Amino acid sequence: MRTVTTDCLVIGGGLAGLIAAREAVRAGMRATLLYDGAGASPWVHGINIPVHPEDSVESFLMDTLASGQGVSDPALAEALCNDAPAMKSEIERLGLAFNREGDGYQLLRPLGASYPRVMSVGNDTGAAVLAALRVEMKGKLDERPGVRAVRLLSENGAVHGAQAFDRHTGEWLTVAASATVLACGGFCGIYPFSTNKRDSGGDGVAMAFQAGAALRDMEFIQFEPSGAVWPEALRGTSIITTMFFEGAVLRNRSGERFMLRYGPEGERVGKDVLSMRIAAEVGAGQGTAYGGVYFDATAMGREELTRLYPSYLKRYQDVGIDLAREWVELAPVPHTSLGGVCIDAHGATTVRGLFACGEVIGGLHGANRIGGSAGLETLVFGRRAGRAAAAYAAAAMGRGGEENGAPAQPAPQGEVLADGVVKVPGADISDGNGDPPVLARIRKTLGEALQNSAGVLRERAGLENALRTLGRAREALSVLTGGSAREAFRRDRLQNDLTAALLVCTAALAREDSLGCHIRSDFPIQNPKPYRVTLSQGEDRAVAVRREPLGRPSTGGCQAQ
């Protein structure tokens, strides 16, 4: 097993990871970037910046806190909104230009916003910023594409790096670091049907939890109300909900614009409400052939669709569907994990040496997220976490001793052989053909448990059954042996995803009310005494659950270092 030593280890190659690594390099640190894809970053359409003449940072903050429904950490929300104007300048300094309309900027209004606020670079802001950052950082980073971290290395209550697997060479790698930044995205990829890409999974929250970090808000998963269910080629892709402010509407199988039953605002409500209403419509037998509802953008007209949303128009044209003339089938689909690792406003977690940014964090969005804030979050907290990690690394190296980046020994469940194969007692994963069908069966069990019990609508019996099912799956996985380094890696990946699923269901069971995007059919109203759910590792390595009353300073149990 090879060992690499660095000052700052950044795990994740999306916007949050690249920004964090850039800040570490700017501070004079050696930075190593591990990534197995770019997560959701290439599909960021635009980001919230309050530049509208009637808008302001204060208005943006009020919208963010209102959307969070009392669960957002005000310190994190303030950091997001206060730093937004600076992110506009950062992007322009990269040589990128925001879309303009006449003398002003072209702005889209996301659900939950008081004013049009989403600024875009073309139709692919995330991809454009990623490309520009890669050009800027070329040759300045120790970049390791195709290398995925599966376990943090910790000793004496501090994180000192990570154990990772190199997909290209098939080898395990130990990265020793003075400071480690988790920027590996959200966990919605653990669901069998989501908008997330192949590289998304539960590694981030699982690694943090196993290293002793506190997590919060794991029950809050934002279901994108406009995820494609047909045609198969587009399944899981989503249509931006700003279109509801420009004439797009939803219809049930009878063609009725059913959202008008709930109020004159129709579809112009929060994503949490929209997802709940769509799920109810489908449950009442008014769903379409593929289990969704119809999205009708024909009133917008071809000219408007071409001007504002050419990428969506083309996406459907490529499969023979004309958005300007035809309805398409959509349904709520897991999109953004709002819960995750507890951090302070500078990205520090509750474990020394560990920082986090981007979708892997919890506490920013609370019970619901405004459209356009996910991309902004990666930039704001990537910058903050990168700077804080660099400062911590510099101080740690100056002090010397146990915090000088010396690695703890990797601790897989068993002996690590010279070739990187992990051997543990129990049954062999391989069936003799190099294919691990038992892992596929366990993953299918995981997916079914989440889809059946931790979807838009939840209730106690289903969540308890899911926890039993996931617990049995974890036990079955724990006795398997990796016949090769790659099989051991796939097992560890699955173990992380199972851990994330257990955390989600545990938090969802603990929240006995309905709030934002967490809907309990057996507790349909909000608890009059608001609280947050925080998870941590107990003495027996089980999940310790705390329901923390709100109304006191919101950093509560998430104060770091």
Side-chain angles (χ1 to χ4, degrees):
M1 182 178 293
R2 292 181 297 130
T3 298
V4 172
T5 302
T6 189
D7 300 330
C8 291
L9 168 62
V10 180
I11 301 171
L15 291 169
L18 270 173
I19 288 286
R22 183 184 71 166
E23 293 304 315
V25 170
R26 284 180 168 179
M29 296 291 109
R30 296 173 300 161
T32 296
L33 184 69
L34 309 184
Y35 58 95
D36 186 27
S41 291
W43 290 270
V44 170
H45 181 99
I47 61 174
N48 279 328
I49 309 286
V51 298
H52 187 279
E54 298 177 28
D55 202 0
S56 64
V57 167
E58 292 72 24
S59 179
F60 184 16
L61 178 59
M62 289 177 62
D63 286 346
T64 299
L65 294 174
S67 180
Q69 298 178 46
V71 187
S72 298
D73 185 328
L76 302 186
E78 287 170 9
L80 179 82
C81 300
N82 288 337
D83 285 10
M87 293 305 103
K88 173 180 175 292
S89 301
E90 288 271 8
I91 290 173
E92 290 173 335
R93 278 196 291 269
L94 287 170
L96 301 174
F98 287 101
N99 299 342
R100 300 193 73 90
E101 214 164 48
D103 294 332
Y105 291 104
Q106 181 188 90
L107 299 172
L108 301 175
R109 184 177 176 183
L111 296 178
S114 299
Y115 303 98
R117 193 176 284 144
V118 175
M119 300 180 68
S120 303
V121 177
N123 266 247
D124 304 290
T125 305
V129 176
L130 276 174
L133 284 171
R134 291 202 179 280
V135 170
E136 179 185 324
M137 298 309 297
K138 187 175 182 180
K140 301 176 183 178
L141 281 175
D142 172 22
E143 287 194 57
R144 295 176 182 264
V147 178
R148 189 177 188 116
V150 295
R151 185 179 296 105
L152 295 176
L153 305 178
S154 59
E155 190 173 46
N156 300 325
V159 167
H160 296 286
Q163 183 182 1
F165 183 76
D166 189 329
R167 288 182 180 271
H168 300 307
T169 65
E171 297 176 326
W172 287 97
L173 179 70
T174 294
V175 183
S178 298
T180 300
V181 180
L182 282 178
C184 43
F187 56 78
C188 286
I190 64 177
Y191 282 78
F193 173 40
S194 79
T195 63
N196 287 210
K197 307 306 174 186
R198 178 200 60 80
D199 55 302
S200 298
D203 298 289
V205 291
M207 288 190 292
F209 175 77
Q210 289 159 359
L215 309 178
R216 62 174 289 184
D217 301 343
M218 288 292 291
E219 69 273 30
F220 294 120
I221 295 173
Q222 188 169 63
F223 285 74
E224 182 64 47
S226 54
V229 293
W230 185 259
E232 187 63 33
L234 298 183
R235 185 173 169 82
T237 61
S238 61
I239 292 182
I240 192 168
T241 50
T242 57
M243 289 193 197
F244 291 130
F245 286 100
E246 283 132 18
V249 299
L250 296 176
R251 302 185 186 277
N252 61 21
R253 66 184 301 168
S254 302
E256 175 197 4
R257 191 179 163 193
F258 63 92
M259 284 300 296
L260 290 177
R261 284 194 235 124
Y262 302 100
E265 69 276 6
E267 295 78 9
R268 299 175 181 182
V269 294
K271 291 186 178 186
D272 54 340
V273 176
L274 209 52
S275 292
M276 179 176 62
R277 300 302 186 202
I278 293 171
E281 200 69 12
V282 173
Q286 280 296 315
T288 57
Y290 293 94
V293 296
Y294 290 117
F295 178 86
D296 172 11
T298 58
M300 292 179 63
R302 188 176 308 281
E303 182 178 343
E304 192 75 350
L305 284 167
T306 301
R307 184 176 70 87
L308 293 177
Y309 304 104
S311 62
Y312 294 96
L313 199 61
K314 182 180 185 302
R315 179 188 298 172
Y316 277 90
Q317 283 174 342
D318 288 346
V319 294
I321 296 174
D322 185 356
L323 269 182
R325 299 181 59 185
E326 301 174 70
W327 301 352
V328 296
E329 293 183 61
L330 304 175
V333 57
H335 180 57
T336 306
S337 47
L338 305 185
V341 186
C342 287
I343 62 166
D344 67 11
H346 299 285
T349 73
T350 55
V351 176
R352 287 183 292 115
L354 181 63
F355 301 80
C357 55
E359 197 178 334
V360 77
I361 70 170
L364 169 60
H365 303 295
N368 194 43
R369 175 182 66 82
I370 297 175
S373 284
L376 178 64
E377 170 189 5
T378 63
L379 302 176
V380 167
F381 288 97
R383 187 172 74 157
R384 284 174 169 251
R387 290 176 175 178
Y392 177 91
M397 290 185 293
R399 284 196 302 269
E402 65 185 26
E403 294 182 1
N404 68 356
Q409 291 300 310
Q413 298 298 309
E415 181 186 4
V416 181
L417 306 182
D419 61 357
V421 177
V422 178
K423 290 290 187 181
V424 295
D428 197 332
I429 292 176
S430 175
D431 64 356
N433 298 317
D435 185 38
V438 66
L439 294 189
R441 291 195 295 271
I442 294 174
R443 186 167 291 283
K444 182 180 179 183
T445 297
L446 183 163
E448 289 174 348
L450 288 174
Q451 190 158 297
N452 294 337
S453 303
V456 176
L457 304 177
R458 305 159 176 187
E459 48 84 28
R460 175 181 291 278
L463 290 166
E464 289 177 338
N465 184 60
L467 285 169
R468 286 192 293 269
T469 299
L470 293 168
R472 289 193 296 267
R474 186 167 63 173
E475 289 176 7
L477 186 64
S478 69
V479 299
L480 297 179
T481 299
S484 70
R486 291 189 187 277
E487 285 188 356
F489 166 69
R490 287 196 290 267
R491 185 204 56 192
D492 286 357
R493 278 279 301 105
L494 181 53
Q495 185 176 55
N496 283 342
D497 288 352
L498 274 169
T499 298
L502 283 161
L503 293 168
V504 168
C505 292
T506 299
L509 184 62
R511 178 165 288 281
E512 295 180 327
D513 67 335
S514 290
L515 182 68
C517 54
H518 170 75
I519 309 298
R520 286 280 296 264
S521 57
D522 49 348
F523 292 96
I525 61 173
Q526 180 180 349
N527 191 311
K529 297 181 179 179
Y531 59 92
R532 75 171 57 90
V533 176
T534 302
L535 308 178
S536 58
Q537 197 172 83
E539 291 182 3
D540 56 356
R541 302 186 71 82
V543 183
V545 184
R546 292 201 311 275
R547 295 208 315 184
E548 301 177 347
L550 295 173
R552 61 175 188 243
S554 65
T555 47
C558 296
Q559 287 183 339
Q561 305 194 39

